[in-house]
Amino acid sequence: MGLKFAQIGIGNWGKNIFRNFYNLNEVNMLAVSDLDDGILKGLKANYPGVETTQNAQLILNNPAIDAVVIATVPETHFEFARQALENNKHVFVEKPMTLKSQTGEILVELAEKNRLKLMVGHILEYHPAYLKVKAYLDSGELGEVRYLYSTRVNLGVVRKKENALWSLAPHDISIALMLLGKNPSRVVCTGQSYLQPGIEDVAFAMVHFPNGKMAQLHVSWLDPHKIRKLTVVGSKKMVVLDDMESTEKIRLYDKGVDLKEDFTGYQEALTLRVGDIHIPKLTMQEPLKLECQHFVDSILNDTPPRSDGFDGLQVVKILEAADKSLKNHGEPVEIL
């Protein structure tokens, strides 16, 4: 029969998550909960074998369920995840894991104590193009990575409770951590609220790491372009990932500045190097399918998920510090 799953929350993104888990051979999706009865009726028509309910407690209290998928609004993530872990269920929770680092720590401790898998939906960590960039870093092809910057902007969807930082930046923060390391030291963030008082539509964050590396993040839902782009600058080569490209998503640039060992002046010491541009062939698969399969495999094989609770907690800590800096007009905030 496979692992017995249930899902809480079946909104626009939740429908995609449900479809992918439902189609995995190792998963038996028993039940779905959502407050919208119309959504549940539509799902029941397409998946008649899945139980539907507006009462999430029926799922959380059901001892037959092995794992719970949480795809609700962020302010409910902690409570649903906490109850699921306390009821001995593995948890897949959408990003951000929680809205406070203190509650994130509670979930991490619960998962460890009960020997359960806690995985956060940092989908880009399973995206073949981003994994290709990581492979370039790991192989040393880029040399020493110096900094990266990312842009995630478009016109809409405008949130009413969370700002653009909390809504969009978890993706890019998780990638920055995957590429640069897990322990940034401080963050500086500025932004502005144009459409709704107190809810920033645009934010610029600079995340600093102790080794001198930096990650600059630009997020906005008030922009004329839809851009999903990452640039990583290394001492040997540089790479650009444009996720809006359908096929040629990555370009590897053999560009840099070389420093001669024996020189008499700075003019002679630094030489620009401009080489070839390489466009690697990528075998693309649906990142969400890969992410869902990874969660299932982590349960079956008893291995730590790539985007585990610790990863989710670190992203929340950075978001928390960035939001504090944002509210204080760009004052640097240490990441604890």
Side-chain angles (χ1 to χ4, degrees):
M1 291 293 290
L3 294 169
K4 297 178 177 64
F5 269 54
Q7 182 166 322
I8 302 174
I10 196 75
N12 290 333
W13 185 241
K15 292 176 183 176
N16 297 322
I17 296 173
F18 173 86
R19 169 178 55 82
N20 276 278
F21 275 119
Y22 182 88
N23 288 329
L24 293 179
N25 293 329
E26 304 92 336
V27 171
N28 179 17
M29 187 65 76
L30 295 184
V32 168
S33 171
D34 197 279
L35 295 177
D36 190 324
D37 188 52
I39 288 177
L40 293 179
K41 287 178 179 177
L43 185 135
K44 189 71 173 177
N46 293 317
Y47 303 93
V50 179
E51 293 296 321
T52 59
T53 177
Q54 290 179 291
N55 185 357
Q57 294 301 321
L58 296 179
I59 286 174
L60 295 167
N61 296 332
N62 185 346
I65 293 172
D66 301 310
V68 173
V69 178
I70 300 168
T72 55
V73 292
E75 53 265 32
T76 63
H77 286 180
F78 167 66
E79 189 56 34
F80 283 140
R82 180 187 66 79
Q83 291 188 55
L85 290 168
E86 287 179 345
N87 282 284
N88 203 37
K89 304 180 193 313
H90 303 288
V91 170
F92 175 98
V93 58
E94 256 309 311
K95 58 83 186 168
M97 182 173 74
T98 61
L99 295 179
K100 294 181 179 179
S101 56
Q102 294 96 324
T103 53
E105 288 169 354
I106 292 172
L107 295 186
V108 170
E109 290 171 3
L110 269 174
E112 280 202 313
K113 175 185 174 183
N114 295 338
R115 301 179 63 84
L116 295 165
K117 304 305 174 188
L118 171 60
M119 178 167 152
V120 186
H122 294 159
I123 189 171
L124 296 188
E125 295 188 37
Y126 305 89
H127 192 302
Y130 288 88
L131 291 175
K132 183 67 173 179
V133 171
K134 179 169 171 41
Y136 282 139
L137 270 69
D138 292 344
S139 69
E141 187 156 4
L142 300 184
E144 182 183 352
V145 176
R146 288 170 171 161
Y147 68 93
L148 64 80
Y149 58 95
S150 64
T151 304
R152 183 170 301 276
V153 299
N154 59 278
L155 188 60
V157 174
V158 179
R159 305 290 183 179
K160 294 182 179 180
K161 292 185 178 180
E162 58 185 341
N163 60 23
L165 182 70
W166 281 92
S167 178
L168 301 173
H171 292 299
D172 302 295
I173 292 173
S174 69
I175 288 300
L177 295 178
M178 185 175 82
L179 299 179
L180 298 183
K182 297 291 185 182
N183 298 302
S185 55
R186 72 182 187 281
V187 62
V188 175
C189 185
T190 59
Q192 193 56 263
S193 307
Y194 293 107
L195 302 179
Q196 304 168 92
I199 301 178
E200 290 81 7
D201 313 290
V202 57
F204 299 85
M206 182 70 78
V207 184
H208 294 265
F209 292 75
N211 52 13
K213 294 177 172 60
M214 299 186 301
Q216 184 191 60
L217 318 174
H218 172 202
V219 294
S220 174
W221 56 49
L222 188 60
D223 196 277
H225 307 288
K226 184 172 183 179
I227 301 173
R228 303 285 184 268
K229 187 175 284 189
L230 168 73
T231 300
V232 183
V233 175
S235 60
K236 293 181 180 178
K237 295 181 181 180
M238 307 174 187
V239 63
V240 176
L241 190 164
D242 187 346
D243 204 15
M244 296 309 297
E245 289 285 344
S246 57
T247 54
E248 298 177 353
K249 290 182 179 291
I250 293 177
R251 280 172 166 76
L252 182 65
Y253 294 84
D254 187 7
K255 290 185 175 184
V257 180
D258 293 330
L259 177 66
K260 295 180 180 178
E261 292 186 4
D262 50 337
F263 60 90
T264 57
Y266 284 110
Q267 202 74 11
E268 301 173 4
L270 303 175
T271 58
L272 297 179
R273 173 175 39 80
V274 180
D276 294 333
I277 300 172
H278 175 62
I279 302 175
K281 180 182 178 181
L282 274 177
T283 302
M284 283 300 299
Q285 294 177 272
E286 185 179 1
L288 183 55
K289 180 180 179 181
L290 296 173
E291 181 182 52
C292 294
Q293 184 68 61
H294 183 86
F295 178 57
V296 170
D297 290 343
S298 74
I299 297 173
L300 294 175
N301 301 326
D302 193 22
T303 53
R306 184 180 304 145
S307 54
D308 60 8
F310 293 100
D311 189 41
L313 176 59
Q314 191 64 36
V315 170
V316 171
K317 285 183 176 181
I318 296 171
L319 285 167
E320 212 171 35
D323 204 31
K324 184 177 179 180
S325 177
L326 181 62
K327 296 296 192 283
N328 286 283
H329 311 290
E331 178 183 329
V333 175
E334 298 296 316
I335 300 169
L336 304 176

